[in-house]
Amino acid sequence: MDFNIRLRNGKILSGIIKSSGEDLKAVVILVHGLGEHIQRYNSWADLFKSENIGFAGVDLPGHGRSEGKRGHISPYSITSEMLDILIKSCNKTFPGTPVYLYGHSLGGTIVLDYLLKKSPRVRGAIVTSPLLRLGFEPSKSKLQLASVMKYLIPALVQPSGLIQDHLSHDKKVVENYKNDPLVHGSISVSLFHGMMSSARYCLEHASELKVPALLIHGGDDLICSPEGSREFASKSQKVNFRIWDGGYHELHNESFREEVFRYIVSWIKS
């Protein structure tokens, strides 16, 4: 089922919600990555539904069917309001059902940042391939330019530089991504600065995490470095950490996706 939420800045975010009906074991709120959208997780949502686990998520501002300039989220902190609304909505729709946050890539960073700063009343979090350290180092000149331009032209959009072939070993997944009209390859100056600042904050405050988290990362991820996840996990006693050998960035879209899903569900049930 489709639904919308409205942020305080007036922007409307478009989302999906799926459940098997009564007696849900849990509900998962998913935050997707940069340039993509929540509909790319429809098959993942159906798997959760088959396990009697509800699923909800919205397209980030400037992504998918949500309003806003493509690749621009301003201010970055608006994602915190987004999660506040989604958690409140799930608690109202599924009263008494444990809520889990699930973030992938940029969404993983958003979830970790939210957990560290707000300590929300959720049962736990699943984080896959978070953007804590990039798989490549941006040039110092690009970082300096972003720090200046965020004040002058914060909505200035540039190519994200994401190499689509590094998403998954599954060629069909990559081809579908390339032909998806709701996918974009843009990022604004303010979003770039916001997500990098958020990544640094998460690594610096990892020891303060109060919510149990399952953190998994593909060992061959060339988009978001697995070393960022390894560093975060080493600083927190709340993290159950696993490197998935041979995995690219989207573990949920690899040939062994079923194994990844079973691992996540097993952790939720435990």
Side-chain angles (χ1 to χ4, degrees), residues 128-147:
T128 59
S129 311
L131 197 162
L132 296 173
R133 293 198 185 281
L134 291 171
F136 58 93
E137 278 298 321
S139 65
K140 289 185 178 181
S141 60
K142 186 173 183 178
L143 292 173
Q144 291 171 346
L145 178 64
S147 65

Side-chain angles (χ1 to χ4, degrees), residues 89-110:
S89 177
C90 283
N91 285 333
K92 181 178 180 180
T93 305
F94 310 108
T97 303
V99 174
Y100 290 80
L101 296 181
Y102 183 154
H104 172 69
S105 194
L106 169 61
T109 314
I110 289 172

Side-chain angles (χ1 to χ4, degrees), residues 239-253:
V239 173
N240 184 322
F241 177 59
R242 176 173 174 178
I243 290 287
W244 217 283
D245 292 338
Y248 267 4
H249 186 58
E250 294 189 343
L251 294 173
H252 55 281
N253 280 324

Side-chain angles (χ1 to χ4, degrees), residues 109 112 128-137 199 202-204 206 215-236 239 241-245 247-249:
T109 314
L112 289 176
T128 59
S129 311
L131 197 162
L132 296 173
R133 293 198 185 281
L134 291 171
F136 58 93
E137 278 298 321
C202 289
L203 290 173
E204 291 170 358
L215 175 55
I216 57 178
H217 209 125
D220 292 343
D221 189 348
L222 300 173
I223 296 173
C224 296
S225 173
E227 294 310 309
S229 289
R230 193 187 304 277
E231 180 181 344
F232 186 94
S234 71
K235 297 177 178 179
S236 174
V239 173
F241 177 59
R242 176 173 174 178
I243 290 287
W244 217 283
D245 292 338
Y248 267 4
H249 186 58

